Amino acid sequence: MTSTADRLARQQERKEGIGTNENAVKFSQQDYETLLQQCLERGRLFEDNCFPAGGTSLGYKELGPYSSKAKGVVWKRPTELCSNPKFIDDGATRTDICQGELGDCWLLAAIASLTLDQRILARVVPPGQSFTEDYAGIFHFQFWQFGEWVDVVVDDRLPTRDGKLLFVHSAEGSEFWSALLEKAYAKVNGCYEALSGGNAIEGFEDFTGGIAEIYNLGKAPPNLFQIIKKALRLGSLLGCSIEVSSAYDTEMVTALKLVKGHAYSLTGAEEVNFQGKLVELVRVRNPWGKVEWTGPWSDGSMEWKHVSPDDKAKLNHVGEDGEFWLPYSDFLGQFSRLEICNMTPDTLTNDDVGYWKYYQFEGMWRVGSTAGGCINNRATFPSNPQFMVSLEDVDDDPLDGEDGCTFLVGLMQKDGRQMRRIDRNLETIGFAIYKVPDEYKGRSNVRLGPDVLLRQRAVAMSDTFINSREVCGRFKLPPGEYAIIPSTFKPHRNGRFILRVFSEKKAQTSRLEEDIDAVLEEKKISKSDVDPHFKHLFKQISGDDMEVSAFELVGILNNVVSARSDIKTDGFSLETCRLIISLLDKDESATLGLMEFHMLWTKIKKYLEIFRTHDKDHSGTMSSHEMREAATEAGFIVNSAVLQAIVSRYADAQYAIDFDSFVGCLIKLEMLFKMFKTLERGDSGKIELDLQQWLCLAIY
């Protein structure tokens, strides 16, 4: 319950603008300015209790407290490592980023790409920090984390061995912004070891809030060079790598001095006149700052002798620094994978930005309600979350020359690196895209049911279902309305995700979800309308006072259901019977009289028929995935969030709902709807309660 309240509070904060880069969430509730002033006033250097200088911050296995790699580690401040430490010296450059003993070259490649645009860098590394003015051993950085920006505070105690930084460091050894940035990113992900292994695209996204595309260079589209040039022109960050076939190949250097299993940055793409022909070249950066390509167009190669000085200057042809040019054809042949991180419109501010329009949704898969799995699981697939995108305008200057609406879809699951500590793996995820039928167009308050999703083929899908942090695809479809269905591959898997859509032209997007509502029709009858036989039975079961208490109701209902072989039940509880009486007790006697009991009996007969209809396998119980349709038939329209709460409260360990739980749920829904409508002012859709009112209603 409290975690649900936390989630609702975060949603409200986002509505108020908290979570943007300008108003970032305070990670661990630590406010940089407040902590800085406290340290300056006390004359003490900051020590971060949320990420202590000790073994737990290093790691849990290979860098765990008792591991050989953690032996001899001493945490030191930059002022203890050199006489004149600098945060950033003469601008942040790619040479400030040299890899240490941690396998996070993917992160370093992303950091190196940041330095290509100082405006993007300033979003991640807030300016004005130094080891001189107002120095208090505290620094802060900002990262995009699953849909929101967070401001992360760290102290400047860094892990060292033999007086040298253990992890990332600058080439000169006196510049520390990159080492502190790495520490802040380790804090967000739980520890340094959690950063070991990954793709540069993950760092790109967390430094920009952008969306990733991944290309298999063995199957590169014919217009990929144009896509690369356009991406660079729009300020996108690009990374590339060479696939390894075994762990033995990792960081093996090829004959042409390329490193396998290593993350590179792609920083340029140009056409150059060479002996009367135009040659396509790409520029690549090794975050090690050394070990460069030695093939055609490498530093000092013969090809440069036939290039004009103007072209050399345009290409920024430099010496041994980890950055090099190579022919695009060799790039396709030597590298295996290209990653492009496309920026959100607010990331860049020059004339070329605003190319992508950006839309984002949060969602959850929950076992028993919204964790339907892929289309192979036809019985549960339609229960997955659904999102609509309406595409109206075709692209300007399409790269392939054909009209259509280009858009990117990214499905990202949350908190994968933090889960490593408890040996929990990422789920296998993907998505499918369906055309919205004409009768549903222009509506967001609907869900596509089995009649739509199981009777038509998807018009597009993610390339694969894969256990990675994010699955992303580029699509071009005719104008129209489409439903995106994100899912895990297997059903019954819990997870949290964000779904993002980037479109070339403005689009309309929304969550496909019913509006919560209830149709509460109560047929008014008088005592004369009650069947005499029913009156006689009621007198027998109620006794001389002609009233049924909650304790008596337990016995009555359990006698009724125990006589039926077509339903399974653990029996009605006293709590459920008290709830029933609270709903139907018109005279506040805490008991049910004849008319009230007749109303209950009518409801139970109706609910029994609905229950049996949705017990598809005649097991005597109802699958929780059927609860949405069953509730609708009973008059209650609920959305996914309410359905998740229902399943958590009323389903058993196998996510089945028995009859007494079904009745208790519907009675509770009716009571809640009636309470809300009684307290609602006008048709505002909101109520206001003080603490006492809230407690009384919640307990009641």
Side-chain angles (χ1 to χ4, degrees), residues 77-290:
R77 298 185 189 270
T79 51
E80 300 174 85
L81 295 172
C82 64
S83 58
N84 187 26
K86 301 288 181 64
F87 184 68
I88 295 179
D89 186 19
D90 196 25
T93 64
R94 298 186 291 279
T95 58
D96 298 340
I97 307 145
C98 300
Q99 190 171 355
E101 296 184 25
L102 190 62
D104 62 348
C105 59
W106 62 274
L107 177 61
L108 274 55
I111 297 174
S113 291
L114 271 183
T115 63
L116 299 176
D117 192 312
Q118 296 301 310
R119 288 166 297 182
I120 299 178
L121 180 70
R123 290 164 63 97
V124 179
V125 186
Q129 304 184 79
S130 76
F131 288 95
T132 53
E133 185 177 352
D134 288 338
Y135 169 68
I138 182 172
F139 295 86
H140 70 131
F141 302 85
Q142 293 196 354
F143 305 119
W144 181 88
Q145 288 288 284
F146 310 113
E148 64 183 15
W149 285 87
V150 296
D151 190 87
V152 186
V153 169
V154 290
D155 64 34
D156 62 351
R157 295 176 294 177
L158 296 167
T160 70
R161 182 182 286 122
D162 300 327
K164 296 182 179 179
L165 289 178
L166 194 61
F167 303 132
V168 71
H169 54 277
S170 65
E172 297 82 6
S174 58
E175 206 166 350
F176 290 92
W177 71 270
S178 57
L180 292 167
L181 171 62
E182 181 189 46
K183 179 176 183 178
Y185 198 63
K187 178 178 177 177
V188 164
N189 287 283
C191 62
Y192 277 97
E193 187 174 348
L195 306 184
S196 183
N199 297 314
I201 206 71
E202 185 175 339
F204 289 165
E205 289 183 331
D206 286 354
F207 295 153
T208 66
I211 193 169
E213 292 182 83
I214 299 175
Y215 291 93
N216 178 351
L217 296 180
K219 300 177 182 177
N223 61 342
L224 182 58
F225 187 75
Q226 284 70 36
I227 291 175
I228 291 172
K229 288 189 70 174
K230 193 169 188 177
L232 288 166
R233 189 170 67 249
L234 294 167
S236 301
L237 301 181
L238 292 82
C240 51
S241 58
I242 302 172
E243 191 176 28
V244 296
S245 55
S246 68
Y248 175 76
D249 286 342
T250 302
E251 297 196 350
M252 179 179 286
V253 180
T254 69
L256 294 173
K257 299 297 183 183
L258 295 176
V259 185
K260 292 185 176 182
H262 186 59
Y264 290 82
S265 309
L266 195 156
T267 60
E270 297 287 350
E271 292 177 302
V272 62
N273 193 313
F274 176 70
Q275 296 182 333
K277 295 181 180 179
L278 285 177
V279 177
E280 296 175 335
L281 301 177
V282 295
R283 186 175 64 205
V284 175
R285 159 87 182 161
N286 184 343
W288 287 350
K290 55 186 179 181

Side-chain angles (χ1 to χ4, degrees), residues 507-546:
Q508 299 294 324
T509 62
S510 66
R511 193 184 302 268
L512 283 176
E513 195 68 87
E514 295 99 333
D515 291 335
I516 299 173
D517 200 2
V519 181
L520 303 175
E521 296 180 356
E522 293 186 3
K523 185 179 179 181
K524 293 185 178 181
I525 61 172
S526 64
K527 285 188 178 181
S528 60
D529 296 322
V530 179
D531 182 84
H533 181 63
F534 185 86
K535 290 180 181 178
H536 177 70
L537 289 175
F538 180 73
K539 186 175 182 179
Q540 286 184 317
I541 62 177
S542 63
D544 294 337
D545 63 353
M546 292 291 284

Side-chain angles (χ1 to χ4, degrees), residues 55-56 58-71 193:
T56 57
L58 282 179
Y60 47 88
K61 190 177 292 183
E62 292 188 5
L63 283 170
Y66 304 106
S67 66
S68 59
K69 291 185 178 181
K71 289 182 178 178
E193 187 174 348

Side-chain angles (χ1 to χ4, degrees), residues 3 21-22 62 91 351 355 360 403 423 460 545 556 565 642 648 651:
S3 61
N21 188 247
E22 295 75 20
E62 292 188 5
D351 293 338
Y355 178 80
Q360 174 180 299
D403 282 342
D423 288 330
D545 63 353
I556 294 169
S565 60
V642 175
S648 296

Side-chain angles (χ1 to χ4, degrees), residues 4-75:
T4 302
D6 288 341
R7 177 165 50 82
L8 294 175
R10 288 197 302 273
Q11 291 174 359
Q12 183 60 36
E13 286 177 348
R14 290 195 184 98
K15 290 180 181 178
E16 296 169 357
I18 298 174
T20 62
N21 188 247
E22 295 75 20
N23 191 11
V25 174
K26 309 301 181 186
F27 190 76
S28 296
Q29 286 81 50
Q30 291 176 301
D31 182 76
Y32 170 73
E33 294 294 342
T34 300
L35 293 171
L36 173 62
Q37 290 305 313
Q38 288 176 354
C39 291
L40 291 174
E41 290 170 6
R42 296 170 185 172
R44 296 175 58 182
L45 296 180
F46 178 62
E47 294 186 1
D48 186 7
N49 294 327
C50 294
F51 197 64
T56 57
S57 297
L58 282 179
Y60 47 88
K61 190 177 292 183
E62 292 188 5
L63 283 170
Y66 304 106
S67 66
S68 59
K69 291 185 178 181
K71 289 182 178 178
V73 172
V74 179
W75 296 73

